[in-house]
Amino acid sequence: MIGAALLELRGLRKDFGGLEAVKDVSFTVREGQIKALIGPNGAGKTTIFNLLTGVLPAQAGRAEFAGTSLLGLAPHRIAALGVGRTFQTTLLFDDMTVLENVMVGHHLRGRMGLLGSALRGSGVRAEERVTREAAMEALARVAVAEVAARPAGELPIGQRRLVEVARALAAQPRLLLMDEPAAGLNMRETEQMGELIRQIRDAGVTVLLVEHDMSLVMGISEEILVLDRGERLAEGPPEAIQKDERVLAAYLGEEAEEC
Ligand SMILES: Nc1ncnc2c1ncn2[C@@H]1O[C@H](COP(=O)(O)OP(=O)(O)OP(=O)(O)O)[C@@H](O)[C@H]1O
Ligand SMILES: [Mg+2]
């Protein structure tokens, strides 16, 4: 069920020198939703994720997550509040095992979260064990537990994307920001990713999805926000967005530029 506002952006702005990458962007993500953020290359989608996760400072605006202001907080604080993220270019430590990579995700939350305080005083080894178990559970959720002991660098892209999702889940997020989780995946893997995103949402995690694969976006999102050159162009359910003239023009413009 879709509930109250979980994430609210108001008047968010980010310039890079003279380039206005994000111009006065406002939108709301409701608890329990799968919401998509789409738009041509360079529209400002990843920049919005970077602002929300404390990787980049915003020039103006507000971003509230469950009533707490995110802007100005350090990335680990934002993660500890329950905002998880996967990256457009997978950021795995290639020399570490898959399990170790996912354990990093759990540490992010465990230190400060409920689990961290519950374990305080009961020893580092106990914490290590809980972290390992949580990481294995996250790997099982994305169906790649069988590669837990392999170096992450050996995995094909399909599995790397799943491990990224597991690492984010291991931090027990309430909101998951996914930046092109299907990039580089074949059609079957993309369908499986869609199914996984649905399962994640059904398990109680709200999802904000950046994705270029339109069949995936249209198939799983309840609501879509379209950005173009840093500005909100349209917002609505998939059926309305697919027919929106302004959206079609923005994407056609992009194709024309590429020719
Ligand atoms: N750290 C940065 N420094 C300077 N310019 C940047 C930086 N990050 C992004 N930009 C620029 O800001 C604009 C928005 O980039 P962004 O990565 O947010 O787009 P995007 O919508 O995620 O695109 P894509 O679909 O290609 O991933 C682009 O013009 C990009 O070149
Ligand atoms: Mg991007």
Side-chain angles (χ1 to χ4, degrees):
M1 239 192 46
I2 295 172
L6 182 62
L7 178 72
E8 283 200 275
L9 275 65
R10 292 289 169 265
L12 205 61
R13 197 160 66 77
K14 179 71 187 175
D15 306 336
F16 294 110
L19 176 80
E20 294 178 288
V22 177
K23 297 184 216 175
D24 192 27
V25 170
S26 303
F27 66 88
T28 300
V29 182
R30 300 189 169 281
E31 183 122 50
Q33 224 182 2
I34 298 176
K35 181 153 182 163
L37 182 56
I38 68 169
N41 293 118
K45 306 177 297 291
T46 298
T47 302
I48 290 179
F49 278 11
N50 286 335
L51 298 175
L52 292 175
T53 52
V55 174
L56 289 172
Q59 257 103 21
R62 291 189 293 124
E64 286 197 357
F65 171 70
T68 303
S69 176
L70 297 180
L71 301 185
L73 297 183
H76 72 276
R77 293 272 304 126
I78 293 171
L81 284 172
V83 180
R85 172 183 192 176
T86 67
F87 294 85
Q88 183 165 351
T89 309
T90 59
L91 283 183
L92 299 177
F93 300 105
D94 284 349
D95 297 335
M96 284 165 52
T97 67
V98 166
L99 180 65
E100 286 162 350
N101 267 282
V102 177
M103 285 171 71
V104 170
H106 184 260
H107 272 303
L108 217 58
R109 181 71 187 252
R111 287 268 160 76
M112 299 188 154
L114 266 181
L115 206 56
S117 36
L119 285 169
R120 203 164 292 143
S122 62
V124 174
R125 293 231 322 260
E127 183 169 352
E128 178 82 7
R129 185 171 49 75
V130 172
T131 295
R132 189 173 290 271
E133 279 167 12
M136 278 310 293
E137 207 177 290
L139 281 170
R141 267 174 92 179
V142 305
V144 286
E146 77 279 4
V147 297
R150 299 225 342 238
E154 286 181 4
L155 301 185
I157 183 70
Q159 287 183 331
R160 289 178 72 85
R161 293 249 172 245
L162 293 171
V163 173
E164 273 250 331
V165 176
R167 180 168 62 183
L169 289 177
Q172 297 161 328
R174 190 167 161 198
L175 171 69
L176 182 55
L177 310 175
M178 305 183 87
D179 200 349
E180 301 197 27
L185 303 190
N186 64 32
M187 206 192 282
R188 197 174 135 260
E189 289 167 334
T190 300
E191 279 170 17
Q192 287 168 345
M193 182 59 76
E195 203 40 56
L196 175 62
I197 295 170
R198 267 213 196 94
Q199 277 172 25
I200 289 170
R201 189 275 307 276
D202 292 347
V205 181
T206 304
V207 176
L208 181 60
L209 170 71
V210 165
E211 184 50 60
H212 282 289
D213 187 301
M214 284 307 128
S215 60
L216 176 59
V217 167
M218 298 298 166
I220 66 172
S221 315
E222 277 107 22
E223 208 176 21
I224 300 173
L225 179 98
V226 188
L227 270 188
D228 185 30
R229 294 162 212 250
E231 287 183 289
R232 188 170 84 160
L233 190 66
E235 187 171 7
E239 314 79 63
I241 294 297
Q242 269 169 317
K243 286 185 289 200
D244 192 301
E245 301 278 338
R246 292 163 303 173
V247 176
L248 295 173
Y251 276 98
L252 287 175
E254 183 189 39
E255 275 172 25
E257 276 168 28
E258 278 171 8
C259 289

